[in-house]
Amino acid sequence: MFKNYIKIAWRNLIKDKTFTGLNILGLSIAFAAAILLSIASVYELSFDNFHENKDRLFISYFVSQKPNGAKATITQPLAMAPTLKEEVPGVKYTSRYREAYNLVKKGEKELLLDVAFLDNDYFKMFSFPIRYGTKNNPLEHQNSVVVTAESAKKIFGEINVVGKAIDIQMGGQLKPFVVSAVLKNLPENTNDKFNIAVSIENMRDYQENLSEWGNRNHHVYVQLENGVAVTDFEKNAQEFTNLHFKGDIEDAERDGAQPNAEGNFKKLKLMPITDWHFVKVKNHLFEVSKSYPYLIFGIGMLIILIASVNFINMSIARSTKRLKEIGMRKTLGAAKSQLFIQFWAESVFIFLTSAIIGLLISLLIADPFQSLFRIPAEFSTIVNPSMILGFLLILAIITLIAGGYPALLLSKLKTIQSLKGKLDMSGKNRLRNVLMVFQFSIAILLVTGTLVLWQQLHYMQNKNLGFNKEQVIAFPLNGKKSARESLKLLRNELQDNPNIVNISGADNILGIDATGSRFESQMGFEYQGRNINTNVLAVDYDYIKTLDLKLKEGRDFNRNFATDSLSLIINESMAKLLQEEEPLNKMIPIGGNRNYKIIGVLKDYNFQDLNREIAPLTISVDPNWDLYYAYLKVAPNTASQSYDAIEKAWANIEPNAEFAASFLDENIDRTFRIEKRLTSMITSGSIIAIVLSCIGLFAMSILVVTQRTKEIGVRKIVGAGVTNITLLLTKDFLILVGIAFVIATPIAWYFTNEWLQNYVFRIELSIWFFIAAGVLSLLIAVATISFRTVKAALQNPVKSLRTE
């Protein structure tokens, strides 16, 4: 019996090659897109999920009550982690963590590598497998260093390098270290991506800052004991917070801050490490948002949904061709269940064939897909039994619904109506129309989202950030010489080059540099009875000129004024925070016991991401503050030759150091990685959705033309023109697209408006986005339908009248 079902299904599918081909084409594209998008979604959701203790691993942060509301901070004082482990019950391990790029030297080889400063317990908490060397306490000694296999290959030319020595630049001087362990290469889906790791005790001024609870410069990871809930920890940690942050709490109460719902002014909280990848800062608080990976997965499911709608529509529309077959089989004694199985078997065959072809397509284009959307992980590491089971379950559900519904309708047809070959299709046409409106609504929604995303991305990439990003080259000062000495030598090397306009330096980078680095430095102090927090930037002279920053009032730093080493320039946001009508010449006790005088106020510029408000900023040229980056402004239209000249000059100064330079516009562009990836994926999804909708529309136009062939012939004989006949055949479809536009527009407006709220600097939603999406969809629909209807309208009416 089963064999007969397969045979009959195969004959019916082969007999109608056009519709079978269109169904398999549409479903194969949909499955391929859905598989790739699902894998991308799973990859995004997999960050730090591979750790054995992931359910008990957290990153700590404080929520502090301020006069202007609550504020979350992630950086912690050096003494906190060991004290927390000692005083708060339920804590098994703690580890401090800070990353920095340091010079690593082996013989004549010098490399700038990402160094993690952490505690020995870190490797007990996190599941980063150790390939060679000490597994229990790899950082037991202060001069021990742990390297990844990839870094070992770079430094030594081999992987098993346990016991070998290297020099790492710490605090301006090279210090010897011995390799105690070699890690396997860190997976891409982790937030901690260091090259080498050393004990946090090697941090500059470690001992001096160990008793300073107000100096915060690193993260603290916490592993709780089995059975200890986060709420229990946070409750137990309140006494710890009240004791060690008593000064902060008293200052908040004095400044007029309101306590939280529990009556506290400062609360230590924990966030699962699996959520840390998805954190955004909104209204000064941390917000976990996984909308991005779920949106990607949702687009994949919508694409399959559109293809399934096509299948249902075409199956129902083709039912008129099989009425006599159904009537005859019922007359011969076929039961409804047998007919259902027969028609459903045809659907299963189409869906299984499409799924296999879609899987093959996804495997063939996996590498280009990874490159286009910057998904670095190998798909084989993401695909697992649960994911395969999920795919098979989704396939079964889709096949049951999309294939089973038309099969159920056909099996329920009455025998006499079937034998007559006539059937009232009004109800089925209404269903067809609803489904077509549904799929075009999805397509218009995706097209609108694509247009808004592209415009927002274009706006961010071209917004005036308040500084010169096109003509400024920046690179890390990663040599053996001190940063200020390197800058002095760089000026000497390039002083006769007319293409080099200005040279300066800073301790931070704008955007994300070529090494993937970005840092933030903050400092707090008391001013006129209030606590003030500001971002701090150490710079060299000519920084403002190099970046073309605009002074609102006051003056720039001047080498001829010796007192400028104890002077500051602040931005407008900092001036507002100080609440001074005339901030110039005011003294600020920043950086310990020394007072600094404000000599200038800069106009606000975007020194952070565009999804954040411009924060207070304080700039200093104090020679005691380290610099890490060189900034060079070059003459217009001299990018290539200036870059080469700077690279050559740096090679003369530091012949063994890496030259990792980039233009600031490239650095800024790297901050838009998520937006660019999301925009590309939604654009691809929109194109696929439109293509699939057009496949369905094209198939339906073929059926409509076939059913109305004689009508077309009669109308041509009585004088109807090609235009009239084409309009007659297309108007019903165009009305459906119009209805879809009316339905999709308010939904698109709501979702795009909500997404734009994530950005402080954003475009204004315009009606033209939605009109453009509707017109584009309408034009594509007209082009698709006209291909078949115009051909039918041009056909010889005699031939049309002879058609049975």
Side-chain angles (χ1 to χ4, degrees):
M1 180 65 73
F2 181 75
K3 187 177 180 181
N4 287 335
Y5 285 140
I6 298 298
K7 281 184 179 180
I8 297 170
W10 173 253
R11 288 169 185 168
N12 283 319
L13 293 173
I14 290 297
K15 185 168 63 176
D16 205 340
K17 296 184 180 67
T18 301
F19 285 91
T20 301
L22 287 173
N23 272 322
I24 291 177
L25 174 63
L27 286 168
S28 297
I29 293 172
F31 278 121
I35 289 169
L36 292 172
L37 291 174
S38 298
I39 289 176
S41 175
V42 170
Y43 168 72
E44 287 295 328
L45 291 170
S46 69
F47 268 71
D48 287 311
N49 262 306
F50 57 88
H51 295 296
E52 293 178 7
N53 302 316
K54 63 181 179 181
D55 295 332
R56 291 178 287 136
L57 283 176
F58 305 88
I59 188 168
S60 65
Y61 67 100
F62 279 103
V63 175
S64 305
Q65 303 302 121
K66 302 289 183 182
N68 57 348
K71 181 179 180 181
T73 52
I74 197 74
T75 53
Q76 310 293 7
L78 278 171
M80 180 176 141
T83 311
L84 188 71
K85 182 180 177 182
E86 182 180 338
E87 296 182 1
V88 178
V91 177
K92 186 173 183 178
Y93 297 121
T94 61
S95 178
R96 295 162 288 189
Y97 185 94
R98 184 181 182 182
E99 280 186 72
Y101 274 84
N102 289 59
L103 179 71
V104 177
K105 188 175 186 297
K106 176 62 180 176
E108 294 298 316
K109 186 182 294 184
E110 295 179 3
L111 299 169
L112 185 67
L113 297 180
D114 190 353
V115 179
F117 295 84
L118 38 81
D119 288 298
N120 198 34
D121 283 347
Y122 180 86
F123 293 105
K124 299 175 184 176
M125 300 165 67
F126 293 88
S127 305
F128 295 126
I130 292 178
R131 190 167 176 178
Y132 303 108
T134 306
K135 294 187 177 181
N136 296 326
N137 298 298
L139 296 180
E140 185 177 6
H141 305 291
Q142 190 173 340
N143 70 331
S144 296
V145 60
V146 176
V147 301
T148 64
E150 182 181 10
S151 301
K153 191 74 175 176
K154 283 183 181 178
I155 300 168
F156 298 95
E158 56 181 315
I159 296 177
N160 189 358
V161 294
V162 175
K164 296 190 176 182
I166 57 173
D167 293 322
I168 305 176
Q169 187 163 291
M170 301 279 184
Q173 60 181 355
L174 290 171
K175 292 184 178 180
F177 287 82
V178 177
V179 177
S180 60
V182 178
L183 297 176
K184 290 184 179 179
N185 289 330
L186 304 187
E188 293 290 341
N189 55 340
T190 179
N191 286 300
D192 295 350
K193 297 174 182 175
F194 53 85
N195 299 127
I196 63 178
V198 298
S199 170
I200 198 165
E201 295 178 8
N202 290 289
M203 275 179 54
R204 185 175 182 178
D205 300 328
Y206 174 82
Q207 292 298 333
E208 293 83 346
N209 290 322
L210 195 55
S211 59
E212 293 291 333
W213 285 78
N215 192 331
R216 305 173 180 91
N217 55 15
H218 63 279
H219 299 164
V220 169
Y221 291 116
V222 175
Q223 180 177 330
L224 297 181
E225 297 278 4
N226 290 333
V228 178
V230 172
T231 52
D232 294 335
F233 166 85
E234 292 177 353
K235 184 178 179 180
N236 294 336
Q238 193 58 54
E239 184 179 346
F240 166 88
T241 302
N242 294 339
L243 174 63
H244 295 287
F245 296 91
K246 184 179 180 181
D248 289 354
I249 295 170
E250 290 174 349
D251 290 344
E253 192 171 5
R254 179 202 62 195
D255 294 344
Q258 297 299 312
N260 61 19
E262 300 169 355
N264 299 311
F265 288 89
K266 197 176 188 74
K267 185 174 181 64
L268 180 60
K269 298 179 73 66
L270 297 180
M271 180 184 298
I273 58 160
T274 50
D275 287 345
W276 181 232
H277 180 68
F278 306 100
V279 166
K280 293 181 178 179
V281 179
K282 191 171 184 179
N283 298 324
H284 305 293
L285 294 174
F286 295 143
E287 182 180 274
V288 176
S289 174
K290 298 183 180 181
S291 57
Y292 167 59
Y294 288 131
L295 178 59
I296 295 172
F297 181 77
I299 291 171
M301 293 303 101
L302 286 176
I303 289 171
I304 286 185
L305 192 56
I306 290 175
S308 300
V309 166
N310 283 345
F311 180 83
I312 293 172
N313 271 338
M314 285 190 269
S315 297
I316 294 174
R318 288 175 58 221
S319 62
T320 56
K321 291 185 175 183
R322 305 187 68 174
L323 293 177
K324 290 186 178 180
E325 175 196 342
I326 295 169
M328 185 61 70
R329 294 182 68 179
K330 281 199 168 188
T331 302
L332 295 174
K336 288 182 181 180
S337 59
Q338 291 175 312
L339 289 172
F340 174 82
I341 293 173
Q342 177 60 60
F343 296 129
W344 188 57
E346 296 175 16
S347 302
V348 170
F349 181 84
I350 289 176
F351 273 90
L352 286 177
T353 302
S354 301
I356 293 170
I357 294 174
L359 179 60
L360 293 175
I361 292 172
S362 66
L363 291 173
L364 288 173
I365 65 173
D367 289 340
F369 177 83
Q370 288 175 275
S371 301
L372 179 62
F373 298 116
R374 297 186 177 92
I375 300 175
E378 291 294 331
F379 285 178
S380 58
T381 63
I382 302 172
V383 177
N384 51 57
S386 60
M387 188 174 177
I388 295 171
L389 184 62
F391 173 73
L392 293 175
L393 181 62
I394 290 173
L395 177 62
I397 293 171
I398 293 170
T399 306
L400 182 63
I401 296 173
Y405 180 72
L408 183 63
L409 287 180
L410 293 174
S411 64
K412 290 172 68 176
L413 293 177
K414 294 180 180 179
T415 306
I416 295 176
Q417 283 182 313
S418 301
L419 288 171
K420 287 181 178 180
K422 294 180 180 180
L423 191 65
D424 180 16
M425 295 295 291
S426 59
K428 294 178 178 58
N429 283 342
R430 283 195 294 271
L431 176 62
R432 180 200 71 186
N433 293 343
V434 169
L435 291 174
M436 288 187 67
V437 167
F438 176 71
Q439 68 176 177
F440 263 96
S441 296
I442 294 173
I444 292 171
L445 179 65
L446 290 174
V447 170
T448 306
T450 299
L451 294 176
V452 173
L453 284 170
W454 274 111
Q455 190 61 30
Q456 175 65 16
L457 182 60
H458 179 266
Y459 169 77
M460 292 191 298
Q461 289 176 322
N462 294 279
K463 183 184 182 297
N464 182 0
L465 302 179
F467 61 88
N468 186 341
K469 62 179 182 178
E470 282 80 18
Q471 293 173 241
V472 180
I473 297 174
F475 66 91
L477 297 166
N478 54 3
K480 291 181 292 184
K481 299 179 179 67
S482 70
R484 295 184 186 277
E485 182 184 358
S486 295
L487 285 173
K488 182 179 178 180
L489 294 172
L490 197 61
R491 289 189 178 98
N492 292 336
E493 287 279 338
L494 297 169
Q495 62 182 345
D496 297 326
N497 190 322
N499 294 332
I500 308 301
V501 180
N502 284 113
I503 299 176
S504 186
D507 71 340
N508 212 332
I509 191 68
L510 289 164
I512 301 175
D513 74 356
T515 65
S517 303
R518 65 185 315 181
F519 305 99
E520 287 187 9
S521 179
Q522 295 183 347
M523 191 174 289
F525 60 92
E526 188 173 299
Y527 182 76
Q528 295 185 355
R530 293 179 295 114
N531 267 354
I532 303 291
N533 286 291
T534 177
N535 289 71
V536 179
L537 183 67
V539 303
D540 198 12
Y541 291 96
D542 299 327
Y543 183 79
I544 291 175
K545 292 179 183 177
T546 303
L547 289 176
D548 290 334
L549 301 177
K550 306 300 180 186
L551 276 167
K552 182 180 179 181
E553 55 183 311
R555 64 175 179 85
D556 193 359
F557 298 113
N558 193 320
R559 289 184 179 84
N560 297 322
F561 296 168
T563 56
D564 273 9
S565 62
L566 291 176
S567 297
L568 300 174
I569 294 176
I570 62 175
N571 68 350
E572 291 174 290
S573 296
M574 180 62 180
K576 290 176 185 176
L577 191 61
L578 293 176
Q579 299 178 5
E580 295 284 0
E581 292 185 8
E582 296 293 337
L584 294 181
N585 298 317
K586 293 294 188 292
M587 304 300 291
I588 292 181
I590 197 169
N593 298 322
R594 288 191 291 183
N595 288 319
Y596 290 73
K597 184 173 72 172
I598 298 174
I599 62 170
V601 178
L602 281 175
K603 288 188 176 180
D604 279 343
Y605 69 99
N606 294 95
F607 64 94
Q608 295 172 315
D609 291 352
L610 287 180
N611 59 353
R612 298 166 68 175
E613 296 178 355
I614 297 178
L617 178 65
T618 302
I619 302 176
S620 169
V621 290
D622 190 332
N624 295 312
W625 294 7
D626 288 337
L627 305 179
Y628 301 108
Y629 291 90
Y631 287 80
L632 296 93
K633 181 181 177 182
V634 302
N637 304 317
T638 64
S640 180
Q641 53 266 48
S642 296
Y643 186 96
D644 293 340
I646 296 169
E647 183 176 19
K648 183 178 178 181
W650 183 243
N652 292 335
I653 296 168
E654 292 284 357
N656 297 319
E658 182 183 3
F659 182 67
S662 57
F663 280 87
L664 289 188
D665 58 347
E666 297 173 339
N667 293 353
I668 300 302
D669 196 53
R670 291 187 187 97
T671 65
F672 306 138
R673 288 175 297 186
I674 292 178
E675 286 79 9
K676 290 168 74 175
R677 188 186 302 174
L678 181 61
T679 302
S680 298
M681 284 193 175
I682 292 186
T683 301
S684 303
S686 301
I687 293 171
I688 294 172
I690 287 287
V691 169
L692 293 176
S693 299
C694 289
I695 289 174
L697 202 58
F698 180 71
M700 295 306 299
S701 67
I702 292 175
L703 282 169
V704 168
V705 168
T706 303
Q707 291 169 356
R708 303 178 71 174
T709 301
K710 283 191 176 182
E711 178 188 348
I712 294 169
V714 171
R715 287 180 180 275
K716 289 198 72 173
I717 286 174
V718 298
V722 173
T723 303
N724 291 334
I725 293 174
T726 302
L727 183 61
L728 175 71
L729 295 172
T730 59
K731 67 177 182 180
D732 290 341
F733 292 113
L734 299 185
I735 289 172
L736 296 179
V737 175
I739 295 172
F741 171 74
V742 172
I743 294 172
T745 296
I747 300 173
W749 181 88
Y750 174 79
F751 283 110
T752 53
N753 184 62
E754 285 295 307
W755 179 77
L756 286 173
Q757 299 310 308
N758 292 319
Y759 297 91
V760 176
F761 304 95
R762 55 183 179 266
I763 60 172
E764 291 294 329
L765 276 181
S766 168
I767 188 64
W768 294 109
F769 286 119
F770 309 101
I771 292 175
V775 170
L776 181 62
S777 300
L778 190 65
L779 291 175
I780 292 172
V782 169
T784 304
I785 300 168
S786 299
F787 180 81
R788 188 67 184 87
T789 56
V790 171
K791 182 180 178 182
L794 291 171
Q795 190 170 299
N796 189 327
V798 176
K799 185 178 179 180
S800 300
L801 290 170
R802 286 178 177 172
T803 302
E804 289 295 335

